[in-house]
Amino acid sequence: MGKTLVLAEKPSVGREIARVLGCQKSGNGCLEGDKYIVTWALGHLVTLADPDVYDKRYEKWDMADLPMLPQNMKLVVIPESRKQYNAVASLMKRSDVSQLVIATDAGREGELVARWIMIKAGWKGPTKRLWISSQTDKAIREGFANLKPASEYDNLFRSAQARSEADWLVGLNVTRALTCKYNAQLSAGRVQTPTLSLVVRREEEIKKFVPREFWGITAKLPGFTATWRDGGKNASTFDREKAERILKKLEGQSAVLTKLEKQWKQTPPPAAYDLTELQRDANKKYAYSAKETLSLMQSLYERHKLLTYPRTDSRYISDDVVPTLPERLRSCMVEDYKPLAQSIYRNKPLQTKYLVNNAKVTDHHAIIPTEQQPELYDLSGPERNIYDLVVRRFLAVLLPPFEYEELKLTLTIGGETFTAKGKRVLNQGWKAAYNKSFQLEEDEEEADQNLPQLIQGQKLTVSGLTLKPGKTSPPPRYTEATLLSAMEHPGSQVSDKNLSRVLEETSGLGTPATRADIIEKLFSTFYMERRGKELVPTSKGIQLMELVPEELRSAELTARWEDQLSDIAKGKAKDTAFVDSMRKYAAELVSEVKASDATYRHDNQTRTPCPDCGKYLLRVKGKRGEMLVCPDRECGYRRSVTQTTNARCPNCHKKMELRGEGEKQMFACVCGYREKLSDFKKRRSSAGASKRDVRAYLNKQDTGGNTAMADALAKWMAAQEEKK
């Protein structure tokens, strides 16, 4: 019996699997043992070929050569990772290797990583699939004891490949057509463009919005306040004179409690996290981007092994995971979580009705803690925050509902109706897992109060009446949290009820695994920018929506595509039919762009010429500051103007910007503090910053093409070395 070759997705995962399998001998891009050889990719090693591989004329971007519609898509090795590909390919050709185990991430993209390498290297031997939801030693051992035939995941691979080929056909053709037509760096995509359309459309609604003034009346009563209801319904009126008339009429009047309703209610615990819901809550509470949250989850899954597989779209677990819950609860018995986890653990049998649902579990179950005991001091602050969210949600979903008695008061003052609401908690239930710093529910129109003991028909003294002015608000700009919701449920963006229903039945825009990258791409291509937590489209993004064919902006169409990809993964649809339809669609889009008479204007153009090609540079806001970018795609010059760093202001402790170039580089803070880079380095040195501190600081910087600061700090580190 020959050796089994195990293909992991990343070196870190490969090393962990190798340790569990007893592979200790180092080889070329692998670790080897008696029975197993563990090797790894570096993410993707193989990708779809660029257009010029099919025809040399595609090296030059020319509208006359569009559309590009190769019938048989080719695979090429990514040049930067060719060395590792060669190592993997040579292992697949070894005479003593008789079997391959795919151990890449257990999802659509992970399947694609492995299959493309296998196809390119010509692997034809027996193949098994390792399918696990956590990276603990126990999960790895159990996974290898229960390997699946790789053929069970053929449809998942076909879905992944169809998605990739569709993005090539639509994205590359439309991007080239737009760039050639308007002589600007413009790009469009199958999911990216409808997502941007949501943000642009919301901005248009805000600009068109005309606020209206309204007035409400509140009455102060013994121990509580009540709100006037216009005609017993609305809490305000747009008629100021009417509100003032009523206020005057009510002066000196007493109140009568005409109705007192008590109703027992309960709120079940929220479902466990899938990736999108976790990204939403992390953005709400910590302002983490979707990309940051996914990165932190990957670390907690791969490196620390504390949480299960992140790229899941399920919020439930299946019956087979239930026997592991006691051990997972024991792993949570640390620090603040210990009393509650112990309390849940002692109450047997565990209450799982809100956590278990076989019908709603797809490739992976919800994100929950693993059986691994955590060393919380090993976690960074952000990792700790994400771990906290997941553990609290896990404990919450194992607790009973929140029970309370709701009190509703209806009062009459001078013939006008007033209302008040109160709540008396009967059982904290799942809310015991949370503190007051994180509210899961949206604020209600009328806040709950602690109401005194009252009797229906009771007469009450009105100690004050207040006229409260207000203005109607425009729809709020998207945050990453609300944009993720809109991408997941685009049906809410459509007025047509039938279309809305179709959209709610589909998987939305993108998948949990891809939404973070889509949002990040909209930032990196300067189509939208952050203002605090708000997402605002740039002029470039707004203009793109006018230039892109209308059909490509459609959330409905794209959601249906994602649904077809899901059907391919389930074996209900053919990948070839889907890709053929994408070829026709790409050709139609190119024709529309060619026929368009629209124009594009750079309204962020400066008078600074590009040092490489002479064209005037564009001023854009990057992820970490302002940049000057050449509009010529083939030139590609870019330079950082101001850069938001991780250096903190000594006065107000906010992040400072780095401005200028060379010797004139200076830190600047919004509070007015200024400091030369040279003075900053002296201050860091005198404060006793270690090499490790500075290296960590350097690694966090996003220089956007300008490494002046990184170079300066690197020189300073070298100087410290020389002094020793």
Side-chain angles (χ1 to χ4, degrees):
M1 178 78 179
K3 289 189 176 184
T4 297
L5 179 63
V6 180
L7 175 58
E9 190 159 329
K10 299 172 187 170
S12 57
V13 178
R15 281 191 285 271
E16 288 299 315
I17 292 173
R19 181 180 56 76
V20 173
L21 296 178
C23 302
Q24 298 177 339
K25 182 184 171 187
S26 292
N28 179 22
C30 69
L31 288 163
E32 190 165 347
D34 294 336
K35 295 181 181 178
Y36 296 96
I37 306 167
V38 179
T39 188
W40 46 81
L42 306 170
H44 277 283
L45 298 181
V46 175
T47 190
L48 291 173
D50 286 335
D52 60 305
V53 171
Y54 300 97
D55 195 321
K56 286 293 179 187
R57 67 193 166 116
Y58 293 146
E59 285 180 355
K60 189 174 184 300
W61 288 36
D62 191 330
M63 185 71 95
D65 294 330
L66 301 178
M68 306 172 291
L69 305 171
Q71 282 303 306
N72 297 305
M73 307 294 272
K74 296 179 181 178
L75 295 174
V76 294
V77 177
I78 298 169
E80 293 80 5
S81 49
R82 179 173 290 279
K83 183 180 176 184
Q84 184 59 22
Y85 167 79
N86 289 339
V88 175
S90 64
L91 289 168
M92 288 182 179
K93 292 178 172 66
R94 265 177 51 168
S95 58
D96 60 339
V97 170
S98 60
Q99 179 181 242
L100 174 69
V101 172
I102 299 173
T104 47
D105 279 0
R108 188 167 78 177
E109 206 61 24
E111 199 66 29
L112 191 67
V113 166
R115 298 294 186 111
W116 274 358
I117 294 169
M118 291 158 60
I119 291 168
K120 190 68 178 168
W123 173 261
K124 303 288 186 189
T127 310
K128 295 282 180 70
R129 189 34 158 130
L130 175 72
W131 195 267
I132 54 177
S133 288
S134 60
Q135 293 282 348
T136 62
D137 290 11
K138 180 184 175 186
I140 292 169
R141 288 193 190 97
E142 287 180 355
F144 271 91
N146 296 282
L147 292 171
K148 315 273 188 186
S151 58
E152 287 185 16
Y153 301 92
D154 285 351
N155 287 328
L156 185 66
F157 161 62
R158 291 186 186 106
S159 168
Q161 182 165 261
R163 193 272 310 158
S164 192
E165 291 183 358
D167 286 342
W168 191 104
L169 290 162
V170 174
L172 265 63
N173 275 296
V174 178
T175 294
R176 286 201 177 199
L178 291 168
T179 301
C180 294
K181 175 87 175 179
Y182 301 107
N183 192 26
Q185 290 189 45
L186 300 172
S187 64
R190 189 180 54 86
V191 182
Q192 167 195 326
T193 305
T195 302
L196 177 61
S197 177
L198 294 174
V199 180
V200 171
R201 199 158 64 240
R202 177 61 56 86
E203 195 67 19
E204 288 169 355
E205 290 170 8
I206 293 168
K207 284 178 181 174
K208 289 176 185 174
F209 182 81
V210 179
R212 292 180 69 192
E213 285 190 299
F214 62 82
W215 288 266
I217 301 171
T218 57
K220 193 172 182 184
L221 297 133
F224 68 101
T225 59
T227 304
W228 169 67
R229 295 282 168 178
D230 186 10
K233 295 179 181 178
N234 298 324
S236 61
T237 178
F238 293 112
D239 186 342
R240 179 174 184 167
E241 289 181 3
K242 178 181 178 179
E244 289 175 340
R245 261 195 328 269
I246 291 170
L247 188 69
K248 194 169 183 180
K249 178 180 84 167
L250 300 182
E251 284 176 3
Q253 301 270 8
S254 58
V256 178
L257 179 57
T258 53
K259 195 174 183 183
L260 192 158
E261 296 175 89
K262 289 183 181 180
Q263 191 175 8
W264 176 85
K265 287 191 171 184
Q266 69 171 24
T267 308
Y273 280 123
D274 63 3
L275 178 59
T276 303
E277 181 72 4
L278 179 62
Q279 287 169 323
R280 268 197 291 265
D281 279 358
N283 184 255
K284 284 181 197 170
K285 187 171 185 186
Y286 301 113
Y288 295 158
S289 70
K291 188 78 170 174
E292 282 175 297
T293 300
L294 177 54
S295 176
L296 293 166
M297 264 301 305
Q298 282 292 138
S299 177
L300 289 162
Y301 165 66
E302 288 177 5
R303 182 171 160 234
H304 300 291
K305 309 177 193 306
L306 299 180
L307 300 180
T308 57
Y309 185 71
R311 290 177 165 90
T312 177
D313 61 357
S314 175
R315 301 187 64 185
Y316 298 89
I317 65 170
S318 47
D319 288 325
D320 60 326
V321 184
V322 173
T324 71
L325 292 179
E327 202 172 339
R328 293 176 196 271
L329 266 172
R330 279 199 295 272
S331 78
C332 298
M333 292 180 191
V334 292
E335 294 194 9
D336 294 349
Y337 318 116
K338 188 171 183 178
L340 188 57
Q342 284 179 328
S343 168
I344 296 169
Y345 184 80
R346 282 194 291 265
N347 290 334
K348 302 288 177 62
L350 292 176
Q351 162 12 60
T352 59
K353 65 186 277 191
Y354 300 108
L355 180 59
V356 179
N357 189 330
N358 290 331
K360 292 190 176 181
V361 177
T362 49
D363 293 337
H364 291 280
H365 58 66
I367 298 168
I368 57 175
T370 65
E371 302 95 326
Q372 184 113 336
Q373 195 74 25
E375 300 286 356
L376 295 181
Y377 59 81
D378 274 351
L379 305 183
S380 67
E383 286 172 342
R384 182 80 171 78
N385 290 337
I386 297 298
Y387 180 74
D388 181 76
L389 285 176
V390 174
V391 170
R392 288 188 188 279
R393 180 60 65 90
F394 174 64
L395 297 176
V397 79
L398 291 171
L399 286 166
F402 170 65
E403 296 177 25
Y404 60 98
E405 184 179 62
E406 185 180 74
L407 286 87
K408 284 185 180 178
L409 309 183
T410 304
L411 304 104
T412 302
I413 307 174
E416 295 292 331
T417 301
F418 283 73
T419 62
K421 279 172 67 178
K423 184 184 285 183
R424 188 164 67 89
V425 175
L426 302 174
N427 180 6
Q428 276 294 108
W430 63 267
K431 289 203 174 188
Y434 292 94
N435 55 38
K436 290 181 181 178
S437 69
F438 187 36
Q439 294 299 319
L440 289 160
E441 297 86 19
E442 300 298 324
D443 291 336
E444 295 182 27
E445 182 188 292
E446 191 175 17
D448 290 321
Q449 307 172 71
N450 290 319
L451 299 175
Q453 288 291 332
L454 297 165
I455 304 166
Q456 191 163 316
Q458 186 174 345
K459 202 170 184 179
L460 300 164
T461 303
V462 179
S463 57
L465 290 161
T466 308
L467 188 67
K468 291 180 68 177
K471 283 186 178 181
T472 55
S473 301
R477 285 195 176 101
Y478 283 109
T479 63
E480 286 206 36
T482 56
L483 184 58
L484 283 166
S485 296
M487 292 173 77
E488 187 177 29
H489 303 291
S492 61
Q493 315 301 314
V494 177
S495 55
D496 186 308
K497 287 184 180 178
N498 288 329
L499 281 182
S500 180
R501 182 179 50 77
V502 169
L503 282 165
E504 287 307 308
E505 290 168 0
T506 63
S507 58
L509 294 173
T511 66
T514 60
R515 286 176 192 135
D517 283 332
I518 292 159
I519 291 172
E520 285 301 312
K521 189 168 184 183
L522 293 175
F523 289 126
S524 65
T525 48
F526 312 115
Y527 289 140
M528 69 182 186
E529 58 193 34
R530 290 185 183 92
R531 290 186 194 165
K533 275 192 176 184
E534 293 183 332
L535 306 181
V536 184
T538 61
S539 168
K540 183 180 181 182
I542 292 167
Q543 287 189 80
L544 180 70
M545 286 302 98
E546 296 167 3
L547 305 177
V548 167
E550 187 174 350
E551 201 178 21
L552 192 58
R553 304 172 219 162
S554 164
E556 177 223 347
L557 184 71
T558 311
R560 283 181 176 170
W561 288 343
E562 287 294 342
D563 212 41
Q564 287 177 56
L565 290 169
S566 177
D567 283 346
I568 293 167
K570 294 170 187 170
K572 295 179 182 177
K574 291 286 185 186
D575 56 320
T576 50
F578 175 75
V579 175
D580 283 343
S581 71
M582 289 295 106
R583 282 193 182 88
K584 292 174 188 171
Y585 183 62
E588 290 168 10
L589 292 175
V590 169
S591 297
E592 276 193 57
V593 173
K594 285 180 177 179
S596 173
D597 56 3
T599 57
Y600 179 80
R601 179 173 57 88
H602 289 297
D603 60 0
N604 58 338
Q605 191 176 75
T606 68
R607 302 307 292 171
T608 305
C610 173
D612 292 347
C613 71
K615 291 185 174 71
Y616 287 127
L617 296 172
L618 309 176
R619 184 178 291 269
V620 296
K621 280 191 178 179
K623 189 177 177 183
R624 288 190 176 272
E626 285 194 350
M627 303 170 70
L628 292 176
V629 177
C630 183
D632 191 312
R633 182 198 62 80
E634 292 185 0
C635 174
Y637 175 84
R638 56 178 57 194
R639 175 173 100 231
S640 183
V641 178
T642 64
Q643 176 190 332
T644 303
T645 70
N646 287 314
R648 297 281 176 174
C649 171
N651 289 346
C652 69
H653 305 294
K654 289 181 178 167
K655 288 184 179 181
M656 297 190 291
E657 281 187 346
L658 185 66
R659 299 175 180 172
E661 295 180 2
E663 294 298 316
K664 295 181 181 178
Q665 281 191 300
M666 173 183 285
F667 283 107
C669 180
V670 289
C671 74
Y673 178 78
R674 300 286 185 274
E675 183 179 27
K676 288 182 180 177
L677 176 61
S678 55
D679 294 336
F680 167 81
K681 288 188 285 185
K682 286 176 190 171
R683 182 161 61 82
R684 294 281 294 190
S685 179
S686 62
S690 67
K691 275 202 306 170
R692 182 181 173 185
D693 290 337
V694 178
R695 185 173 290 110
Y697 176 74
L698 279 169
N699 289 340
K700 287 179 183 174
Q701 303 308 308
D702 179 4
T703 58
N706 183 357
T707 60
M709 182 186 175
D711 291 344
L713 284 173
K715 286 175 187 172
W716 176 79
M717 284 177 63
Q720 304 310 303
E721 287 288 323
E722 288 176 12
K723 288 178 184 176
K724 291 184 178 178

